[in-house]
Amino acid sequence: MNRRRLVLCLGAGQMISWGITYYLVGALGLAMAAGLGWSSTRIQGGFALALLAMGLCSPRLGEISDRHGGRAVMCAGSLFNAAGCAMLAMAHGSLAYYAGWLLLGLGMRCTLYDAAFAALARIGGGDVAGTGRAMAQITLPGGLSATLFWPLGQALCEAAGWRAALWVYALLALCTLPLHCSLPSGRNSKGALASSPPPQDTPPLAREPRQILLSGILFAALTTLANFLNAGMSAHMISILGGMGVAGALAVWIAALRGVGQSAARLMDILFARGINPLSLNLLACLLLPLAFAIGLAAAGSAVATIAFALLYGAGNGLLSITRGTLPLSLFDHRSYGGFVGRLVAPGFVLSAAAPVLYAWLMQALGARAGMWLSGVCALAILAAAAALRMMFPRRSPGAHVAGISAK
């Protein structure tokens, strides 16, 4: 399988998988609450359960990816996503509803970025440059998921109801099955990600036990906080904007601009970020987040300021999605990428399980602005972890920026 086809298949799979799972509750949550007669907190509890399931199964699925490759894991994820959406479409009570979200939790861990990155790391072997570049490229269409699926979900819901929308989501999940089946199963399969000149193994930055431990802790802290923030904002961004004075339909479209910011930042990274190593790119991404929330808090209902907030937040979050894959590729041994990173990101899924419910409770008690303040505090903590990680390795690593060494 050639590299271009591999990137196209995985990228398309990411765009669909994120849209029908992670962004599901943001698009359909209010309609589901009204249809089932449940509170927003109870609806968000399903998404929280899915994130918890992701954390619990993360280490084991990472090890399976290392041992057997990503194809089997990602194909299973397509089936889990389809079954989860179908279960939600048929749900009338708590048992079926939460069972559907458990299936989606397994499906998300098997199909979203962490699974795709582990598959690419195994295929690429020691070719850090080629693997990192492919990681950056598959996030480009993935970043448009919110932009596409929030309006699409709302349109389907208005046209045919939320249950019909979920059946469409289930069919879309099945459409990702042939995309994931096209993945090669071997390690460094036919040089699928090979750079030019031929790839050479790049030694990891963290080589001493103390370096591995400290950098692992900082990476885990960074991803845990970023997952918490992303989960809260994915579930409530539209509600936060609406509660801060942006009209309902406009809030949906402005929130969807987050995806434009994500993909624009990723495109700039692929095309122009030569010579920037992943640690510096990560720090830049984390600098954008507090700036975005400062603008959001000062927006006071202004459409222009709110658009700037959505684009900046999307840009920071989009770059973080890239460095989430390329940082461990540079810091740690690529041969154990799936299992090691699976353990490091597991706490992030577990903590982020509380985010949708915590945001819902906080906003109900103190208003939408409290959700924005909580996000701003998380963004500052993420920046602190990124700065500490950058200071651990002050010198530029050989090979520099693995995601942007050359354009596609």
Side-chain angles (χ1 to χ4, degrees):
M1 182 180 198
N2 65 50
R3 181 176 173 280
R4 182 180 295 274
R5 184 183 170 200
L6 173 62
V7 168
L8 286 174
C9 287
L10 268 181
Q14 289 302 298
M15 182 170 65
I16 296 171
S17 297
W18 278 93
I20 62 173
T21 60
Y22 203 89
Y23 296 124
L24 184 158
V25 75
L28 305 179
L30 292 177
M32 293 169 74
L36 292 169
W38 294 356
S39 68
S40 174
T41 303
R42 189 174 175 185
I43 291 293
Q44 297 293 339
F47 184 41
L49 184 63
L51 294 173
L52 181 61
M54 289 178 76
L56 294 176
C57 70
S58 181
R60 180 58 179 158
L61 287 173
E63 292 169 0
I64 292 173
S65 291
D66 281 337
R67 189 176 301 116
H68 302 292
R71 182 169 64 187
V73 171
M74 298 193 77
C75 287
S78 296
L79 298 176
F80 283 134
N81 287 339
C85 289
M87 182 73 75
L88 289 181
M90 296 184 290
H92 291 276
S94 297
L95 183 61
Y97 178 77
Y98 292 119
W101 276 110
L102 275 175
L103 289 169
L104 284 176
L106 291 172
M108 285 192 285
R109 182 56 184 87
C110 290
T111 57
L112 301 188
Y113 287 145
D114 292 303
F117 291 161
L120 289 173
R122 188 176 191 274
I123 293 166
D127 181 13
V128 173
T131 302
R133 191 164 61 251
M135 287 177 176
Q137 289 166 352
I138 67 166
T139 65
L140 197 57
L144 295 173
S145 286
T147 304
L148 175 63
F149 277 88
W150 274 342
L152 175 62
Q154 294 240 326
L156 288 171
C157 195
E158 290 173 4
W162 62 270
R163 293 187 188 275
L166 283 166
W167 281 115
V168 173
Y169 279 17
L171 290 174
L172 288 172
L174 291 177
C175 290
T176 66
L177 187 58
L179 298 174
H180 295 150
C181 281
S182 68
L183 282 171
S185 58
R187 191 183 294 275
N188 201 20
S189 298
K190 300 180 182 179
L193 304 179
S195 339
S196 181
Q200 296 179 347
D201 277 11
T202 304
L205 290 175
R207 303 176 197 179
E208 301 173 3
R210 181 175 175 274
Q211 284 184 320
I212 294 172
L213 176 62
L214 288 178
S215 57
I217 290 172
L218 287 172
F219 177 77
L222 192 155
T223 55
T224 295
L225 291 165
N227 277 352
F228 178 87
L229 175 60
N230 192 34
M233 290 301 292
S234 295
H236 295 287
M237 188 170 178
I238 296 172
S239 300
I240 288 174
L241 295 182
M244 295 183 70
V246 181
L250 184 59
V252 174
W253 285 103
I254 290 179
L257 289 177
R258 157 187 171 165
V260 175
Q262 287 179 164
S263 288
R266 290 166 182 171
L267 182 61
M268 294 301 100
D269 170 67
I270 292 168
L271 295 177
F272 304 117
R274 300 185 185 192
I276 303 177
N277 67 39
L279 290 163
S280 297
L281 183 68
N282 186 65
L283 184 59
L284 172 63
C286 295
L287 280 168
L288 293 177
L289 293 178
L291 177 60
F293 287 107
I295 292 173
L297 285 164
S302 164
V304 174
T306 308
I307 288 171
F309 153 71
L311 290 172
L312 270 177
Y313 169 63
N317 194 59
L319 291 177
L320 271 179
S321 296
I322 294 175
T323 59
R324 177 173 175 161
T326 58
L327 266 181
L329 194 65
S330 295
L331 290 170
F332 312 118
D333 187 348
H334 67 85
R335 290 168 295 185
S336 57
Y337 183 101
F340 191 62
V341 174
R343 290 190 292 274
L344 291 179
V345 301
F349 292 130
V350 174
L351 182 62
S352 64
V357 176
L358 179 59
Y359 268 75
W361 173 81
L362 187 65
M363 289 164 59
Q364 188 174 2
L366 301 175
R369 196 172 183 82
M372 191 73 85
W373 272 109
L374 175 60
S375 299
V377 171
C378 285
L380 288 172
I382 292 168
L383 176 59
L389 190 58
R390 185 68 188 89
M391 287 188 289
M392 278 191 66
F393 304 97
R395 292 185 179 181
R396 205 167 101 162
S397 60
H401 174 45
V402 299
I405 287 178
S406 65
K408 181 177 175 181

